[in-house]
Each structure stands twice: as structure tokens, then as C-alpha cells.
């Protein structure tokens, strides 16, 4: 057990709320600050992408005994369903039999997490704006406006779980030797909706993550418990087929009729939602260090904001908590060491999942529509089923394992080089399931 | 002639002062703000590296008819002088006969530029802290403290020439879709000094940039008019042979005696200066966009801070002004277009000189001590003298030409690939000046 401290967590999102539960269970007094109102009291923003919870996320909930009640809010998706114009649906399983990622509404999960934290005795301060932090003594500065009078709130320790545009990090950025980058994609996103059938059933297969890949843009849909799907349209801000180009009702309808004909009947509120919901940006943010002495630490998106295409933003943030908690067990009250080891351990993995997420953007929007890519996936799957100890596909290592993301990236690169050679084999589309292909892979695996 | 505007320039450094002169000459009313006192009234900081002014810098002064009086402050350096332990001095010419870079004291030049700007009618506001800017209406917010009461100062246009840690950029960073990165080297630097001889002459060859390359660290010395040299020690912050490791007088003296024996007699104030002068950091900062509508623009280090190893920070900043001025001539009062074209034209070049500067760090601290590298330079020089239309060495293209930095980087990469092949030739050290080598290079140049 650690010596009880007075700890502030800035940000009541998923990572902030779960971290608060962990800290409370470890015996600390925990205050959570958020500039927004209590999410349980407000309507959702219309700019959310459903979560895809996988192994790493579940483990962090499991360790606190929370996964059972969260599973009730989740719908398993064991495959991608690829929608191409004029072709039958194509299903691509994510992993082995029984392996799924889980669709959860971000807003509903966040409400649940706040309630769970409150039940633990965590105290929440909503609509309280943290403008700055004094790093040396973990004092938060709050107030109505940035330029107005501020209150000082002293703590033993502060966690910045306040997301990609973290104020806590903002102060750390002004320290010497603080490395930092933020890079926006030229692609943005918008939330749309497929409502449930009148009988409450889903209009599309509910155990799939649906993708309409169209090269430079794509639509995805993830199921909700109420029979609806939350859809996300990803497309460039400018140029042909961009958010800018879809400026009126008729252009929008014509665009969807041409590129997403299968959605025309299932997205009835297209026009209303498209022009009502905001167009949001996508940013990759990296920084280092993540901690200041034993006083301040960044966690989740505040330390590593990634693009959403691997569905790992929340999973990576929850894994931050898992690792932090392991180090708390290991080093007790030596918070300096805990923080140092935490950032050293997590940074390469955060960088790796950032890279993997960016690459999955390319894969999802274009490669999932490519016959050669699908064949490659089939070869990989076959080989990995036959030689499970020799080949864990990249997606499975990221999603259905607890191996470090950095290892997944490195081994994934090696596997890609091997598959590039395999795909060059003569008549590969005919002999893809032959012993010759197996032997080729085995031989390449043995080549250093 | 442009319609006269009321323009604020934030930052009275080299780029800010010269930009102010350009804007004043173009008919505008110009106010320059700086949080520091007038540099003409204070002692220098002891953390400066001498400038190496080259073609791009001179051109920006020439265009305003200022280069003649600045040349009086400059000492030409036509070569590197490489100091290796136990070996004679090795001289490496920078370019062709008559081509030099020019050593100038940053502080003295800055004083001069401020006086020149003042003589033009530019108004300076020293010790005036700009905390924020409202981008939409180019209003500066100044005040004693960040949290205290602020004054608003409205302008038609604001230039942020306030360096690597620009407050103007700081506001732009908080705009959506603003890409930004800052990355610190693990190497820092410290200013030292070689005083003049009693008769006012230089203790080392005054027309050389002196380098003591020692792999992970290096010392350089640039001449001053008064017979002294400003030295800069670059070394890692931590580890063996680092700023951290040189913690006392005796360790420091032993270190210099071992690695820089030729300096022991010429740096008499080593111990005093080393422990008095600050250890400074080195950062590469990139961002985009650089402008906001026709209201605010970043320039110089505020938009592209680079490491100093190519001596091009000031030269690149001055070239920003040259290009901006050309666009002002071309587009008249259409400042939106001027700003758009300015940032589009300069960004790839700023990225290129950032990359080249980083690479020159590697070259200076280690390769300049390498016999093979010196041979390669000799081959390049010989070939370029024989075929000047076919081969302009990278250093010359960067330093003694006005060709875009981005072109220099691209052609330099191609030249490197060619030289890598040439250096693999059998007995290259014996036949380096043969027709066979010439023909090999000619042939490789013709290979697409």
C-alpha cells in the first residue's frame, strides 16, 4: 500500500475516470477536474466515433473488476464487412474464432465510468477550468477566464488526462528540452447515423465493423445496443470529393447515391445530420518527457494523441494505467522512479501505435478494397493457423495480445517484407494455399 | 508603392530590425516591440555563437544598400581549419578562390541593425512584453505580467519575428490544423573566448573557421574584429564527456588538456567562463501555416528555428525578407496573396535548411576529422573546378548561391549517392585525380 496522497486528475474522460478509480483503490484521495459539465447531464456532441475496445482496454477494466458491467454495453465485432459498389458484401475476420473487438458508445461508457468513479469515492469538479499548473508544487490554477482571477488548488500530485489539447502539457511544453509535435491530417470526419429498424433490430449485420472504402475517403459504421449504428465519414477537407465540395443538399445526396448507394435507404437523416454535425479534425500529437519529477504526469491522449484508424486511442490510454499501476506495485512510494519508468516504458509504445494507426488509415480507406490485399490476408491467416507459434498477424498482435505495440510494429514490418516476396510468387492467386507457399514463408522466416 | 499601413514587428533581433527597414522603405509606419531592453544599452549574454554571413544574408542587406557598412564589421573566412590532436593543422577551403563566409558578432550586428532601423524612422518599444495577439484584427496585447492587466495595441498587420519561442506563433499554435514540432538535441553549447594578442592580432589564423572535431563533441572558434575569437563548445548534456561530467575546475582542465591541448594556452579564462556562462540548448522548430489571412505572419526563427551547424539561421531569415519583398513588389496591396505565396515558397526551403543543418552537425563533429571524407571533398572540388557546369558542391550551393535550399538538399543527395560509388573504386586514394575517376562521375551523372 502506498502512503495516501492528495491527487488531482485533470480531465474526466475515459482515461481520467478510470485512472481516478485506480488511484482511489490504491488509497489516495482523488479529485477530478473538468472544464465541461458532467457528461451524465448533457446531450452528446454529435462528433464522436464509437470505440472499439479490445484486449488492452478490457485488461485495465478487469484488473479493477469492472469489465463485466461494461461488457453489457458492448457489441462484439468479429470481422470487417466491406461494402463495394456493385459487389456482394465481403467479410474479413479480425482474428481467430472467438476473437472480437467490441463496439461501445464513447458517451455512454464515459457516463458509466464517471458514475463508477463517484461510487468509489472520487470527487468530481465539473465546469471548473484549469488554466495552468505550477509544476514544482503540483498546484492547479482555476478560474472563470484565462485572463481573470485564478484560484490556487494545491495537491501532492497532478495527472494531466485532459486530452490532445491538454493544458497541463501546455505548461510542460514551455519547459526547456521538451520535445513536441502536432500534425493534422488533411482528412476530417463527421458523424452520421443508421437508426434501428422499427422492431429494434439492426439494419446491417450487427457483429461487423462496416467499411465503405473509396480510396481518398471512406465511411464506417459501428453498432450500438439500441439497434442503431454510429457512422463516421472520413474525407479530405478540400479538393474533389471533400467536405468543402459537398456544400449543398443536392450535391450531398448525389454524392452518396454515387459512392454509397447501399447506404441511401439506411441513413434517412443524412442531410440533416451532415449539415448539423461538426466536421472534426484528426491530429497526431507526440511529446516527451511525460512527467515532471514526482509531481506531474501526462496520461492518455494528453501524452500521445493518435488518429483513430486502429481503434486504439482508448486502449492505449487504458494500457498506460495498467503499466502505471504495475509500477506503483513495484516501487511503492518512490514516485520519481514510478514516473521515470512509466514514461520510459510507454513512450516507444505510444510512438508505435501512432505509426500503426496512421498506416491503418491507408489500409482501411484503400487496401481493404483491393483483391491482392485480401488474398495476402488469406495467406497470412492460413499460415498462422497452421503455424501459430511462428506467425501472429500484426492486427492480432496489436489487438488480441498484450505484447508491446513497439514489438508489433517491428515484427509487422518484417512480416510485411516476407509477404511482399510471397505475393511476387508466380501464380500466387492459384497456389496461395499450397505447401510451396508455406515452405517459402518458413524459409524467409529463417533468413535473418 | 503599397498603400501605407500601420505595422507592428514583434522582436528586435536581426530579422525583426531588417524587416522593419524593408517595411519602412515600402512606405509603412513601423513599430518594433521587444520584451528585452535595447541591446545597445546592455552587456551581451555570453550565450551567443558568432554569425557566418554568406550570399543570402548579404543579398538582403545589399537590396537596402546596407551591406557596405556591415562588411566593415565582418571578417572573411575562406576555409575550415581542422585541429586534430598530434597532427598539423588541416585547411579545407569552403569554395572557390575569393569565396568566403563572414564572421560577425551577433550582438554588435544587432546593435547596428537597430540603429539603422531607427535612422529610417522605425519606432522601437523596448522592455514591452507582448503576451498575446488577436489574429483576426492584428491587435497586440502587452503588459507587465502574463496574468496582470493588458494594453491593446491595434495594427493593420503584425509580424512575429520573435524567435524560436515566439509568442505570436504561440497564439497561432492554438488554431485548428496548425502543424508544429519542436525537437531538442541532446547536445548543448557554451560560449568561451580566445582573447587577442597584446598587439591586437589574432592568436590563430583569422581567416579560418576553426574546428576541433572530437566525434561526440567539438569546439569551434570564429574571429572577431578586436583580435579575439568567440569559441563555442558543443557537447552532450549527459554521459561521458558531457556538460554534466565537467563538474569542477580540475575535471574541466584535465578534459581540455586531453582533448584540446592546442587551446590550453589560448583560452586563459576557460574555468571562469565555463562556470559563468550558461549552457544553452539547441532546438529545431517547424510549423505551418506561417500566416493568418492578411493580418499576421511569422518570419525568421519564429517560423523555422534550426540548429546552428550550417551557419544559416540568420541567412535563411534574411532570405525570408528578400522573398517577402519580391512578393510585395509583385502583388502590391494584395497582402493575402503575398502571405500565401510567401509561406508556400519559404516552407520547403526552411524544411530543407533544417535538415541540412542537422546533417552538418554530424559532418562537423566527426567527418571533418576523417581522411576518407577529406579525400572525397578533394575529388569533388577537383571535378567541380574542371566541370563547373556539371557539379556545384552542396556546401557552395547552400552558401555561395541563391538557389533554393530545397534544390540544394535534393541535388546534394544525388551527389552523395554518386560519391559513395566513386569512393568504392579500387585504389581510389591513389587514382583520385585520374581521368578514370572523372569518367566514372560523368557516367554516373548521366545515369538517371
Amino acid at each position: 500500500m502506498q502512503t495516501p496522497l492528495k491527487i488531482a486528475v485533470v480531465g474526466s474522460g475515459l482515461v481520467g475516470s478510470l485512472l481516478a478509480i485506480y488511484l482511489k483503490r490504491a488509497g489516495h484521495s482523488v479529485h477530478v477536474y473538468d472544464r465541461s459539465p458532467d457528461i451524465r447531464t448533457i446531450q452528446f456532441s454529435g462528433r464522436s466515433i464509437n470505440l472499439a475496445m479490445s484486449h488492452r482496454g478490457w485488461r485495465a477494466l478487469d484488473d479493477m473488476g469492472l469489465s463485466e458491467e461494461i461488457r453489457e454495453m458492448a457489441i462484439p465485432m468479429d470481422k470487417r464487412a466491406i461494402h463495394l459498389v456493385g459487389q456482394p458484401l465481403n467479410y474479413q475476420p479480425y482474428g481467430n474464432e472467438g476473437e472480437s473487438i467490441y463496439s461501445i458508445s464513447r458517451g455512454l461508457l464515459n457516463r458509466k465510468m464517471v458514475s463508477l468513479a463517484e461510487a468509489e469515492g472520487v470527487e468530481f469538479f465539473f465546469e471548473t477550468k484549469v488554466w495552468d499548473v505550477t509544476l514544482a508544487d503540483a498546484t492547479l490554477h482555476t478560474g472563470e477566464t484565462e485572463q481573470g482571477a485564478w484560484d490556487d488548488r494545491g495537491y501532492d500530485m497532478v495527472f494531466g488526462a485532459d486530452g490532445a489539447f491538454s493544458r497541463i502539457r501546455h505548461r510542460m511544453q514551455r519547459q526547456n528540452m521538451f520535445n513536441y509535435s502536432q500534425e493534422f491530417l488533411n482528412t476530417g470526419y463527421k458523424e452520421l447515423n443508421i437508426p434501428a429498424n422499427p422492431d429494434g433490430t439492426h439494419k446491417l449485420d450487427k457483429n461487423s465493423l462496416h467499411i465503405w472504402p473509396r480510396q481518398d475517403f471512406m465511411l464506417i459504421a459501428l453498432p450500438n445496443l439500441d439497434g442503431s449504428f454510429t457512422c463516421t465519414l472520413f474525407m479530405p477537407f478540400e479538393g474533389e470529393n471533400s467536405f468543402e465540395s459537398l456544400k449543398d443538399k443536392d450535391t450531398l445526396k448525389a454524392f452518396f447515391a454515387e459512392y454509397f448507394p447501399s447506404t441511401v435507404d439506411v441513413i434517412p437523416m443524412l442531410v440533416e445530420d451532415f449539415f448539423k454535425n461538426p466536421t472534426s479534425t484528426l491530429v497526431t500529437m507526440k511529446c516527451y518527457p511525460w512527467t515532471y519529477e514526482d509531481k506531474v504526469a501526462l496520461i492518455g491522449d494528453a501524452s500521445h494523441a493518435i488518429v483513430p484508424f486502429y481503434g486504439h486511442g482508448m486502449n492505449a490510454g487504458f494500457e498506460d494505467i495498467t503499466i502505471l499501476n504495475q509500477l506503483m506495485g513495484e516501487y511503492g512510494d518512490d514516485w520519481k522512479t514510478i514516473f521515470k519508468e512509466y514514461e520510459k516504458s510507454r513512450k516507444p509504445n505510444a510512438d508505435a501505435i501512432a505509426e500503426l494507426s496512421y498506416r491503418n488509415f491507408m489500409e482501411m480507406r484503400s487496401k481493404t478494397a483491393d483483391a491482392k490485399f485480401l488474398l495476402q490476408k488469406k495467406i497470412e491467416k492460413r499460415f498462422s493457423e497452421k503455424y501459430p507459434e511462428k506467425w501472429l498477424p500484426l492486427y492480432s498482435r496489436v489487438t488480441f495480445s498484450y505484447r508491446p505495440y513497439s514489438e508489433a510494429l517491428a515484427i509487422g514490418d518484417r512480416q510485411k517484407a516476407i509477404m511482399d516476396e510471397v505475393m511476387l510468387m508466380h501464380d500466387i492467386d492459384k497456389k496461395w494455399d499450397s505447401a510451396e507457399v508455406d515452405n517459402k514463408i518458413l524459409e524467409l522466416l529463417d533468413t535473418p
Side-chain angles (χ1 to χ4, degrees), chain A:
Chain A
M1 200 68 173
Q2 297 181 304
T3 305
L5 299 178
K6 208 178 143 199
I7 301 180
V9 175
V10 181
S12 71
L14 300 174
V15 170
S17 312
L18 182 60
L19 173 65
I21 293 171
Y22 270 78
L23 294 170
K24 189 77 181 102
R25 293 264 183 101
H28 305 291
S29 137
V30 185
H31 290 178
V32 177
Y33 288 88
D34 204 302
R35 57 177 52 227
S36 301
D38 187 341
I39 192 165
R40 295 167 299 185
T41 67
I42 55 166
Q43 279 223 309
F44 298 138
S45 64
R47 38 166 285 168
S48 181
I49 306 169
N50 267 30
L51 298 166
M53 179 97 72
S54 55
H55 274 41
R56 297 169 206 266
W58 288 121
R59 176 172 60 168
L61 294 169
D62 267 343
D63 287 352
M64 293 288 107
L66 303 173
S67 60
E68 206 164 316
E69 45 190 319
I70 306 297
R71 256 176 223 276
E72 288 168 18
M73 312 170 63
I75 298 180
M77 303 178 290
D78 59 3
K79 58 195 174 302
R80 289 172 174 161
I82 308 294
H83 299 248
L84 299 179
V85 179
Q87 292 182 37
L89 259 185
N90 183 305
Y91 292 106
Q92 301 170 10
Y94 276 122
N96 296 325
E97 192 67 41
E99 284 177 335
S100 290
I101 60 177
Y102 290 78
S103 175
I104 306 186
S105 150
R106 175 181 294 272
L108 293 179
L109 178 61
N110 205 154
R111 285 181 179 164
K112 181 82 180 174
M113 297 298 302
V114 170
S115 290
L116 287 170
E118 226 171 39
E120 297 281 337
V122 170
E123 212 176 322
F124 282 82
F125 300 83
F126 292 107
E127 297 177 72
T128 306
K129 292 175 182 144
V130 174
W131 294 107
D132 204 351
V133 59
T134 301
L135 301 175
D137 62 4
T139 299
L140 295 181
H141 306 290
T142 60
E144 262 316 295
T145 64
E146 187 163 10
Q147 263 300 101
W150 287 351
D151 290 329
D152 296 343
R153 306 183 185 221
Y155 288 91
D156 297 317
M157 186 177 293
V158 166
F159 283 91
D162 48 346
F165 302 99
S166 167
R167 293 299 295 205
I168 304 302
R169 188 190 65 232
H170 197 256
R171 166 54 55 194
M172 291 174 73
Q173 273 168 247
R174 291 158 80 170
Q175 295 280 108
N176 219 339
M177 298 295 288
F178 189 85
N179 291 330
Y180 178 77
S181 74
Q182 61 183 42
E183 196 166 347
F184 288 84
L185 287 191
N186 291 323
T187 290
Y189 70 92
K190 193 181 281 283
E191 183 181 319
L192 297 170
N193 186 265
I194 297 175
N197 287 318
D199 64 358
T201 57
H202 289 80
K203 284 191 197 290
L204 306 174
D205 177 70
K206 79 166 182 172
N207 295 119
S208 297
L209 191 159
H210 294 265
I211 310 180
W212 290 257
R214 299 294 183 267
Q215 297 288 346
D216 288 340
F217 54 95
M218 69 171 171
L219 181 72
I220 66 170
L222 281 83
N224 294 313
L225 283 181
D226 65 2
S228 69
F229 283 86
T230 298
C231 304
T232 314
L233 174 65
F234 294 95
M235 68 191 310
F237 290 105
E238 292 171 10
E240 203 200 341
N241 296 329
S242 67
F243 282 113
E244 194 190 50
S245 76
L246 301 179
K247 39 181 166 295
D248 57 51
K249 197 174 136 170
D250 293 338
T251 318
L252 175 67
K253 284 170 119 171
F255 173 80
F256 265 72
E258 180 177 354
Y259 291 104
F260 306 122
S262 64
T263 70
V264 170
D265 290 337
V266 297
I267 309 185
M269 299 288 283
L270 172 64
V271 172
E272 291 78 355
D273 284 354
F274 188 91
F275 293 109
K276 183 191 74 194
N277 287 340
T279 307
S280 302
T281 57
L282 297 163
V283 69
T284 299
M285 190 286 303
K286 299 177 181 175
C287 67
Y288 202 77
W290 292 2
T291 67
Y292 181 89
E293 304 283 335
D294 54 356
K295 290 297 172 197
V296 179
L298 303 174
I299 195 161
D301 284 2
S303 44
H304 51 83
I306 62 181
V307 293
F309 304 102
Y310 228 113
H312 271 259
M314 175 267 295
N315 286 293
F318 276 19
E319 194 173 60
D320 290 346
I321 300 174
T322 300
I323 300 300
L324 181 75
N325 189 52
Q326 285 171 1
L327 293 165
M328 285 161 61
E330 195 166 338
Y331 294 106
D333 285 335
D334 182 3
W335 279 97
K336 263 195 193 172
T337 303
I338 293 170
F339 278 7
K340 266 280 152 259
E341 294 299 316
Y342 159 72
E343 65 181 7
K344 261 168 58 186
S345 152
R346 293 307 289 158
K347 172 64 174 168
N349 292 309
D351 286 348
I353 192 62
E355 174 65 20
L356 288 165
S357 302
Y358 180 73
R359 291 189 193 174
N360 225 33
F361 172 45
M362 309 299 171
E363 179 171 320
M364 284 177 80
R365 69 180 183 167
S366 52
K367 286 204 207 144
T368 52
D370 174 41
K372 203 160 172 200
F373 174 79
L374 302 185
L375 175 61
Q376 180 182 321
K377 285 275 172 192
K378 256 171 39 181
I379 297 172
E380 268 196 79
K381 188 167 162 50
R382 179 175 174 283
F383 186 84
S384 102
E385 279 167 3
K386 206 160 161 187
Y387 300 98
E389 77 292 351
K390 285 191 185 287
W391 194 283
L392 181 60
L394 174 60
Y395 190 90
S396 296
R397 194 180 300 267
V398 171
T399 302
F400 304 126
S401 94
Y402 309 116
R403 302 299 310 162
Y405 288 128
S406 56
E407 180 189 289
L409 179 63
I411 295 179
D413 281 346
R414 177 139 167 67
Q415 289 177 335
K416 182 183 178 304
I418 289 173
M419 289 311 296
D420 283 349
E421 287 209 40
V422 169
M423 296 306 288
L424 290 175
M425 287 173 79
H426 188 65
D427 276 344
I428 182 67
D429 48 325
K430 285 174 200 141
K431 66 183 173 200
W432 67 274
D433 55 354
S434 67
E436 186 188 344
V437 169
D438 290 351
N439 291 334
K440 176 81 176 174
I441 300 176
L442 287 167
E443 177 199 316
L444 288 168
L445 276 171
D446 280 341
T447 318

